[in-house]
Short mmCIF file of all heavy atoms in Angstrom, two decimals:
data_model
loop_
_atom_site.label_atom_id
_atom_site.label_comp_id
_atom_site.label_asym_id
_atom_site.label_seq_id
_atom_site.Cartn_x
_atom_site.Cartn_y
_atom_site.Cartn_z
N ASN A 1 -59.58 118.31 -24.12
CA ASN A 1 -59.76 117.13 -23.23
C ASN A 1 -61.15 117.05 -22.59
O ASN A 1 -61.28 116.75 -21.39
CB ASN A 1 -58.69 117.13 -22.11
CG ASN A 1 -57.28 117.12 -22.68
OD1 ASN A 1 -56.98 116.29 -23.56
ND2 ASN A 1 -56.42 117.99 -22.21
N ASP A 2 -62.17 117.32 -23.37
CA ASP A 2 -63.53 117.20 -22.88
C ASP A 2 -64.15 115.92 -23.43
O ASP A 2 -64.73 115.90 -24.52
CB ASP A 2 -64.37 118.42 -23.31
CG ASP A 2 -65.70 118.52 -22.55
OD1 ASP A 2 -66.29 117.47 -22.27
OD2 ASP A 2 -66.15 119.64 -22.27
N ILE A 3 -64.01 114.82 -22.69
CA ILE A 3 -64.43 113.51 -23.17
C ILE A 3 -65.95 113.43 -23.31
O ILE A 3 -66.44 112.88 -24.29
CB ILE A 3 -63.93 112.39 -22.22
CG1 ILE A 3 -62.40 112.37 -22.21
CG2 ILE A 3 -64.47 111.03 -22.65
CD1 ILE A 3 -61.81 111.38 -21.22
N VAL A 4 -66.67 113.98 -22.37
CA VAL A 4 -68.14 113.88 -22.39
C VAL A 4 -68.70 114.58 -23.62
O VAL A 4 -69.53 114.01 -24.37
CB VAL A 4 -68.76 114.49 -21.11
CG1 VAL A 4 -70.27 114.51 -21.19
CG2 VAL A 4 -68.30 113.69 -19.89
N MET A 5 -68.27 115.80 -23.84
CA MET A 5 -68.77 116.55 -25.00
C MET A 5 -68.28 115.91 -26.30
O MET A 5 -69.01 115.88 -27.30
CB MET A 5 -68.33 118.02 -24.93
CG MET A 5 -69.08 118.91 -25.90
SD MET A 5 -68.74 120.67 -25.66
CE MET A 5 -69.52 120.99 -24.09
N GLY A 6 -67.06 115.42 -26.29
CA GLY A 6 -66.52 114.75 -27.48
C GLY A 6 -67.33 113.52 -27.84
O GLY A 6 -67.60 113.26 -29.02
N HIS A 7 -67.71 112.74 -26.82
CA HIS A 7 -68.50 111.52 -27.03
C HIS A 7 -69.85 111.89 -27.69
O HIS A 7 -70.28 111.29 -28.67
CB HIS A 7 -68.72 110.81 -25.69
CG HIS A 7 -69.54 109.58 -25.78
ND1 HIS A 7 -70.92 109.59 -25.76
CD2 HIS A 7 -69.19 108.27 -25.93
CE1 HIS A 7 -71.38 108.36 -25.88
NE2 HIS A 7 -70.34 107.53 -25.98
N THR A 8 -70.51 112.93 -27.15
CA THR A 8 -71.81 113.36 -27.69
C THR A 8 -71.68 113.84 -29.11
O THR A 8 -72.46 113.45 -30.01
CB THR A 8 -72.39 114.50 -26.83
OG1 THR A 8 -72.54 114.05 -25.50
CG2 THR A 8 -73.74 114.96 -27.37
N ALA A 9 -70.67 114.68 -29.37
CA ALA A 9 -70.46 115.24 -30.72
C ALA A 9 -70.13 114.12 -31.72
O ALA A 9 -70.61 114.14 -32.86
CB ALA A 9 -69.35 116.27 -30.68
N ALA A 10 -69.31 113.16 -31.28
CA ALA A 10 -68.90 112.06 -32.18
C ALA A 10 -70.11 111.26 -32.65
O ALA A 10 -70.25 110.97 -33.84
CB ALA A 10 -67.91 111.17 -31.48
N PHE A 11 -70.99 110.93 -31.72
CA PHE A 11 -72.12 110.09 -32.11
C PHE A 11 -73.15 110.87 -32.92
O PHE A 11 -73.84 110.28 -33.75
CB PHE A 11 -72.73 109.42 -30.88
CG PHE A 11 -71.97 108.19 -30.48
CD1 PHE A 11 -70.98 108.25 -29.51
CD2 PHE A 11 -72.20 106.98 -31.11
CE1 PHE A 11 -70.25 107.14 -29.17
CE2 PHE A 11 -71.46 105.85 -30.77
CZ PHE A 11 -70.46 105.92 -29.79
N ARG A 12 -73.25 112.19 -32.71
CA ARG A 12 -74.10 113.00 -33.56
C ARG A 12 -73.52 113.03 -35.00
O ARG A 12 -74.25 112.92 -35.97
CB ARG A 12 -74.18 114.43 -33.03
CG ARG A 12 -74.96 114.57 -31.73
CD ARG A 12 -76.46 114.37 -31.94
NE ARG A 12 -77.21 114.60 -30.73
CZ ARG A 12 -77.69 115.79 -30.35
NH1 ARG A 12 -77.49 116.86 -31.11
NH2 ARG A 12 -78.38 115.89 -29.24
N ALA A 13 -72.19 113.17 -35.08
CA ALA A 13 -71.53 113.20 -36.39
C ALA A 13 -71.65 111.86 -37.10
O ALA A 13 -71.93 111.79 -38.30
CB ALA A 13 -70.05 113.59 -36.22
N ILE A 14 -71.44 110.77 -36.35
CA ILE A 14 -71.53 109.42 -36.95
C ILE A 14 -72.94 109.13 -37.43
O ILE A 14 -73.14 108.50 -38.46
CB ILE A 14 -71.05 108.37 -35.90
CG1 ILE A 14 -69.53 108.47 -35.70
CG2 ILE A 14 -71.45 106.96 -36.35
CD1 ILE A 14 -69.01 107.67 -34.53
N GLU A 15 -73.92 109.63 -36.68
CA GLU A 15 -75.31 109.45 -37.09
C GLU A 15 -75.58 110.12 -38.44
O GLU A 15 -76.30 109.59 -39.29
CB GLU A 15 -76.23 110.03 -36.04
CG GLU A 15 -77.72 109.80 -36.27
CD GLU A 15 -78.58 110.41 -35.19
OE1 GLU A 15 -78.04 110.75 -34.10
OE2 GLU A 15 -79.78 110.57 -35.42
N LEU A 16 -74.98 111.30 -38.64
CA LEU A 16 -75.18 112.06 -39.89
C LEU A 16 -74.32 111.54 -41.04
O LEU A 16 -74.73 111.62 -42.21
CB LEU A 16 -74.87 113.55 -39.65
CG LEU A 16 -75.84 114.30 -38.74
CD1 LEU A 16 -75.27 115.65 -38.36
CD2 LEU A 16 -77.19 114.48 -39.45
N ALA A 17 -73.13 111.03 -40.73
CA ALA A 17 -72.21 110.54 -41.77
C ALA A 17 -71.55 109.24 -41.32
O ALA A 17 -70.39 109.22 -40.93
CB ALA A 17 -71.15 111.61 -42.06
N PRO A 18 -72.32 108.14 -41.36
CA PRO A 18 -71.80 106.86 -40.83
C PRO A 18 -70.60 106.32 -41.59
O PRO A 18 -69.90 105.44 -41.07
CB PRO A 18 -73.01 105.93 -40.95
CG PRO A 18 -73.91 106.56 -41.95
CD PRO A 18 -73.70 108.02 -41.83
N GLU A 19 -70.33 106.81 -42.80
CA GLU A 19 -69.19 106.33 -43.58
C GLU A 19 -67.97 107.22 -43.48
O GLU A 19 -66.93 106.93 -44.07
CB GLU A 19 -69.61 106.20 -45.06
CG GLU A 19 -70.71 105.16 -45.28
CD GLU A 19 -71.13 105.06 -46.72
OE1 GLU A 19 -70.57 105.80 -47.55
OE2 GLU A 19 -71.97 104.22 -47.03
N ASP A 20 -68.06 108.30 -42.72
CA ASP A 20 -66.94 109.24 -42.57
C ASP A 20 -65.99 108.72 -41.48
O ASP A 20 -66.27 108.79 -40.29
CB ASP A 20 -67.46 110.62 -42.19
CG ASP A 20 -66.37 111.69 -42.16
OD1 ASP A 20 -65.19 111.34 -42.10
OD2 ASP A 20 -66.73 112.88 -42.15
N SER A 21 -64.84 108.23 -41.90
CA SER A 21 -63.92 107.60 -40.96
C SER A 21 -63.36 108.57 -39.94
O SER A 21 -63.03 108.20 -38.81
CB SER A 21 -62.75 106.96 -41.72
OG SER A 21 -61.99 107.93 -42.42
N SER A 22 -63.26 109.86 -40.30
CA SER A 22 -62.65 110.83 -39.39
C SER A 22 -63.46 110.99 -38.10
O SER A 22 -62.88 111.29 -37.05
CB SER A 22 -62.49 112.20 -40.07
OG SER A 22 -63.75 112.75 -40.39
N CYS A 23 -64.76 110.79 -38.16
CA CYS A 23 -65.60 110.88 -36.93
C CYS A 23 -65.18 109.81 -35.91
O CYS A 23 -65.02 110.08 -34.72
CB CYS A 23 -67.06 110.71 -37.26
SG CYS A 23 -67.70 111.87 -38.50
N TYR A 24 -65.00 108.58 -36.42
CA TYR A 24 -64.59 107.47 -35.55
C TYR A 24 -63.15 107.67 -35.05
O TYR A 24 -62.88 107.42 -33.87
CB TYR A 24 -64.65 106.15 -36.32
CG TYR A 24 -66.01 105.80 -36.89
CD1 TYR A 24 -66.39 106.25 -38.14
CD2 TYR A 24 -66.90 104.99 -36.18
CE1 TYR A 24 -67.62 105.92 -38.69
CE2 TYR A 24 -68.14 104.65 -36.71
CZ TYR A 24 -68.50 105.11 -37.96
OH TYR A 24 -69.71 104.78 -38.50
N VAL A 25 -62.30 108.13 -35.95
CA VAL A 25 -60.88 108.31 -35.57
C VAL A 25 -60.73 109.36 -34.49
O VAL A 25 -59.98 109.15 -33.52
CB VAL A 25 -60.06 108.68 -36.82
CG1 VAL A 25 -58.63 109.08 -36.41
CG2 VAL A 25 -60.01 107.53 -37.81
N LEU A 26 -61.43 110.47 -34.62
CA LEU A 26 -61.35 111.51 -33.60
C LEU A 26 -61.85 111.02 -32.25
O LEU A 26 -61.25 111.29 -31.20
CB LEU A 26 -62.14 112.74 -34.03
CG LEU A 26 -61.47 113.65 -35.07
CD1 LEU A 26 -62.47 114.64 -35.65
CD2 LEU A 26 -60.27 114.38 -34.45
N LEU A 27 -62.95 110.27 -32.26
CA LEU A 27 -63.47 109.71 -31.01
C LEU A 27 -62.48 108.73 -30.41
O LEU A 27 -62.20 108.75 -29.19
CB LEU A 27 -64.81 109.02 -31.25
CG LEU A 27 -65.46 108.36 -30.02
CD1 LEU A 27 -65.72 109.39 -28.92
CD2 LEU A 27 -66.76 107.65 -30.41
N SER A 28 -61.92 107.87 -31.25
CA SER A 28 -60.92 106.90 -30.78
C SER A 28 -59.72 107.62 -30.17
O SER A 28 -59.19 107.21 -29.13
CB SER A 28 -60.47 106.02 -31.95
OG SER A 28 -59.42 105.17 -31.58
N ASN A 29 -59.29 108.71 -30.80
CA ASN A 29 -58.15 109.47 -30.31
C ASN A 29 -58.44 110.13 -28.96
O ASN A 29 -57.55 110.24 -28.09
CB ASN A 29 -57.73 110.52 -31.32
CG ASN A 29 -57.12 109.91 -32.57
OD1 ASN A 29 -56.85 108.70 -32.62
ND2 ASN A 29 -56.92 110.70 -33.60
N ILE A 30 -59.67 110.59 -28.77
CA ILE A 30 -60.05 111.17 -27.47
C ILE A 30 -59.92 110.12 -26.38
O ILE A 30 -59.37 110.39 -25.29
CB ILE A 30 -61.50 111.74 -27.52
CG1 ILE A 30 -61.53 113.00 -28.38
CG2 ILE A 30 -62.00 112.03 -26.11
CD1 ILE A 30 -62.93 113.57 -28.56
N TYR A 31 -60.44 108.93 -26.66
CA TYR A 31 -60.32 107.84 -25.69
C TYR A 31 -58.86 107.45 -25.44
O TYR A 31 -58.45 107.24 -24.29
CB TYR A 31 -61.11 106.61 -26.16
CG TYR A 31 -62.61 106.78 -26.11
CD1 TYR A 31 -63.42 106.22 -27.11
CD2 TYR A 31 -63.24 107.45 -25.09
CE1 TYR A 31 -64.81 106.32 -27.07
CE2 TYR A 31 -64.62 107.58 -25.03
CZ TYR A 31 -65.40 107.02 -26.03
OH TYR A 31 -66.77 107.13 -25.98
N ALA A 32 -58.08 107.39 -26.52
CA ALA A 32 -56.68 106.99 -26.39
C ALA A 32 -55.90 108.02 -25.56
O ALA A 32 -55.05 107.67 -24.74
CB ALA A 32 -56.05 106.85 -27.78
N LYS A 33 -56.22 109.28 -25.80
CA LYS A 33 -55.55 110.37 -25.07
C LYS A 33 -55.81 110.25 -23.56
O LYS A 33 -54.95 110.60 -22.74
CB LYS A 33 -56.07 111.71 -25.58
CG LYS A 33 -55.15 112.89 -25.33
CD LYS A 33 -55.69 114.12 -26.07
CE LYS A 33 -54.81 115.33 -25.76
NZ LYS A 33 -55.33 116.56 -26.40
N ALA A 34 -57.01 109.70 -23.22
CA ALA A 34 -57.35 109.52 -21.80
C ALA A 34 -56.97 108.15 -21.28
O ALA A 34 -57.24 107.82 -20.11
CB ALA A 34 -58.87 109.73 -21.62
N GLY A 35 -56.32 107.32 -22.11
CA GLY A 35 -55.92 106.00 -21.71
C GLY A 35 -57.05 105.00 -21.59
O GLY A 35 -56.89 103.93 -20.96
N ARG A 36 -58.16 105.26 -22.24
CA ARG A 36 -59.33 104.36 -22.18
C ARG A 36 -59.25 103.40 -23.37
O ARG A 36 -60.01 103.52 -24.35
CB ARG A 36 -60.64 105.18 -22.18
CG ARG A 36 -60.79 105.97 -20.89
CD ARG A 36 -61.93 106.99 -20.93
NE ARG A 36 -63.22 106.43 -21.30
CZ ARG A 36 -64.38 107.10 -21.19
NH1 ARG A 36 -64.37 108.36 -20.68
NH2 ARG A 36 -65.52 106.54 -21.55
N TRP A 37 -58.36 102.43 -23.29
CA TRP A 37 -58.08 101.55 -24.43
C TRP A 37 -59.22 100.60 -24.75
O TRP A 37 -59.38 100.21 -25.91
CB TRP A 37 -56.78 100.78 -24.16
CG TRP A 37 -55.62 101.71 -23.99
CD1 TRP A 37 -54.94 102.00 -22.86
CD2 TRP A 37 -55.03 102.54 -25.02
NE1 TRP A 37 -53.97 102.94 -23.09
CE2 TRP A 37 -53.99 103.28 -24.42
CE3 TRP A 37 -55.28 102.73 -26.38
CZ2 TRP A 37 -53.21 104.17 -25.12
CZ3 TRP A 37 -54.50 103.64 -27.08
CH2 TRP A 37 -53.47 104.35 -26.45
N ASP A 38 -60.02 100.25 -23.77
CA ASP A 38 -61.18 99.40 -24.04
C ASP A 38 -62.18 100.12 -24.95
O ASP A 38 -62.74 99.54 -25.88
CB ASP A 38 -61.89 98.99 -22.74
CG ASP A 38 -61.12 97.98 -21.95
OD1 ASP A 38 -60.20 97.35 -22.55
OD2 ASP A 38 -61.41 97.81 -20.74
N ASP A 39 -62.34 101.43 -24.69
CA ASP A 39 -63.23 102.21 -25.53
C ASP A 39 -62.66 102.40 -26.93
O ASP A 39 -63.39 102.44 -27.92
CB ASP A 39 -63.50 103.60 -24.89
CG ASP A 39 -64.40 103.47 -23.67
OD1 ASP A 39 -65.32 102.65 -23.69
OD2 ASP A 39 -64.19 104.23 -22.69
N VAL A 40 -61.33 102.51 -27.00
CA VAL A 40 -60.68 102.60 -28.31
C VAL A 40 -60.98 101.34 -29.11
O VAL A 40 -61.32 101.41 -30.30
CB VAL A 40 -59.15 102.76 -28.14
CG1 VAL A 40 -58.43 102.60 -29.50
CG2 VAL A 40 -58.81 104.12 -27.53
N SER A 41 -60.88 100.17 -28.48
CA SER A 41 -61.16 98.90 -29.15
C SER A 41 -62.60 98.83 -29.61
O SER A 41 -62.89 98.33 -30.70
CB SER A 41 -60.88 97.73 -28.21
OG SER A 41 -59.51 97.69 -27.86
N LYS A 42 -63.53 99.37 -28.80
CA LYS A 42 -64.95 99.36 -29.19
C LYS A 42 -65.19 100.20 -30.43
O LYS A 42 -65.97 99.81 -31.32
CB LYS A 42 -65.79 99.89 -28.01
CG LYS A 42 -65.90 98.91 -26.86
CD LYS A 42 -66.70 99.54 -25.71
CE LYS A 42 -66.72 98.61 -24.50
NZ LYS A 42 -67.44 99.23 -23.35
N VAL A 43 -64.53 101.36 -30.50
CA VAL A 43 -64.70 102.23 -31.67
C VAL A 43 -64.15 101.53 -32.91
O VAL A 43 -64.77 101.55 -33.97
CB VAL A 43 -63.98 103.59 -31.46
CG1 VAL A 43 -64.04 104.41 -32.74
CG2 VAL A 43 -64.63 104.36 -30.32
N ARG A 44 -62.99 100.88 -32.77
CA ARG A 44 -62.40 100.19 -33.91
C ARG A 44 -63.26 99.00 -34.36
O ARG A 44 -63.38 98.72 -35.55
CB ARG A 44 -60.96 99.72 -33.57
CG ARG A 44 -60.03 100.90 -33.48
CD ARG A 44 -58.62 100.46 -33.19
NE ARG A 44 -57.75 101.61 -33.08
CZ ARG A 44 -56.54 101.58 -32.54
NH1 ARG A 44 -56.07 100.44 -32.06
NH2 ARG A 44 -55.79 102.66 -32.47
N SER A 45 -63.84 98.31 -33.40
CA SER A 45 -64.75 97.20 -33.73
C SER A 45 -65.97 97.73 -34.48
O SER A 45 -66.47 97.10 -35.43
CB SER A 45 -65.19 96.48 -32.46
OG SER A 45 -64.08 95.88 -31.83
N MET A 46 -66.47 98.88 -34.04
CA MET A 46 -67.60 99.50 -34.72
C MET A 46 -67.27 99.83 -36.18
O MET A 46 -68.07 99.58 -37.10
CB MET A 46 -68.02 100.78 -33.97
CG MET A 46 -69.33 101.39 -34.47
SD MET A 46 -69.61 103.07 -33.86
CE MET A 46 -69.42 102.84 -32.09
N MET A 47 -66.08 100.37 -36.40
CA MET A 47 -65.63 100.70 -37.74
C MET A 47 -65.56 99.45 -38.61
O MET A 47 -66.01 99.43 -39.76
CB MET A 47 -64.26 101.40 -37.70
CG MET A 47 -64.27 102.78 -37.13
SD MET A 47 -62.61 103.52 -37.07
CE MET A 47 -62.27 103.79 -38.83
N LYS A 48 -64.98 98.40 -38.03
CA LYS A 48 -64.82 97.15 -38.77
C LYS A 48 -66.18 96.55 -39.12
O LYS A 48 -66.40 96.07 -40.24
CB LYS A 48 -64.00 96.16 -37.95
CG LYS A 48 -63.57 94.91 -38.70
CD LYS A 48 -62.64 94.06 -37.87
CE LYS A 48 -62.19 92.82 -38.64
NZ LYS A 48 -61.26 91.99 -37.85
#
């Protein structure tokens, strides 16, 4: 449950592998776990 570190790691991973869906999914799940549904929507919009 470390949202700050997860956010940093996710964007580093996405930068290196922008087509790897698991990077986005893990970040989305971190936000969902914390109830931050607006951020979840932003991640899904980014994927789309």
Side-chain angles (χ1 to χ4, degrees):
N1 301 312
D2 193 324
I3 297 176
V4 175
M5 194 172 290
H7 180 274
T8 301
F11 279 94
R12 291 288 185 89
I14 289 169
E15 185 180 345
L16 291 168
E19 296 179 358
D20 185 344
S21 64
S22 64
C23 304
Y24 301 88
V25 171
L26 282 168
L27 179 60
S28 175
N29 290 350
I30 288 176
Y31 288 144
K33 202 172 177 182
R36 292 169 55 169
W37 300 109
D38 287 343
D39 288 323
V40 170
S41 297
K42 288 177 184 177
V43 174
R44 289 182 182 164
S45 296
M46 188 193 307
M47 290 178 71
K48 189 174 182 180

